[in-house]
Amino acid sequence: MAHVSNPNEILQRIARGDFLTPREQKILSLRLEGKTLQEVGVVIGVTRERVRQIGERIRRKLNKNLSQQEIDDYIVAYSSRQKGTSGRAS
């Protein structure tokens, strides 16, 4: 049986800023909420291409600092949480 990571612990590690800057944390959060590159760019004040580049840097940092299982568990838990609290229209 595979070990299931605690998504809250992973979130705390990310939020503590152990390896992501506050800007990267914001971009990750917005992208996991389903925002497009363009929408994130407007919020952050950069181009969608810059958001894409920062997203690549975030992926590299996550892959370096977390196991694939931890990343998968976090994304599933974050997505489930957002579905329950999302106010976006379909």
Side-chain angles (χ1 to χ4, degrees), residues 34-49:
K35 302 285 188 205
T36 66
L37 295 173
Q38 185 69 37
E39 291 170 329
V40 174
V42 169
V43 171
I44 302 296
V46 297
T47 65
R48 60 182 288 236
E49 174 60 19

Side-chain angles (χ1 to χ4, degrees), residues 2-55:
H3 169 70
V4 177
S5 305
N6 181 343
N8 290 327
E9 289 176 14
I10 298 167
L11 177 60
Q12 289 172 358
R13 284 176 60 192
I14 292 171
R16 277 196 314 259
D18 287 350
F19 46 89
L20 292 181
T21 66
R23 182 182 194 189
E24 291 168 340
Q25 291 175 27
K26 179 72 171 174
I27 290 171
L28 177 60
S29 174
L30 291 169
R31 291 293 284 151
L32 288 173
E33 290 173 10
K35 302 285 188 205
T36 66
L37 295 173
Q38 185 69 37
E39 291 170 329
V40 174
V42 169
V43 171
I44 302 296
V46 297
T47 65
R48 60 182 288 236
E49 174 60 19
R50 185 66 185 132
V51 173
R52 187 196 64 75
Q53 292 168 353
I54 295 169

Side-chain angles (χ1 to χ4, degrees), residues 4 7 12 26-27 29 32-33 41-42 47-48 63 65 67-68 70 72-75 78 81-83 89-90:
V4 177
Q12 289 172 358
K26 179 72 171 174
I27 290 171
S29 174
L32 288 173
E33 290 173 10
V42 169
T47 65
R48 60 182 288 236
N63 285 332
N65 291 284
S67 71
Q68 187 61 51
E70 288 175 315
D72 292 345
D73 292 346
Y74 174 72
I75 290 171
Y78 191 94
R81 226 181 337 218
Q82 290 305 310
K83 286 179 185 174
S90 299

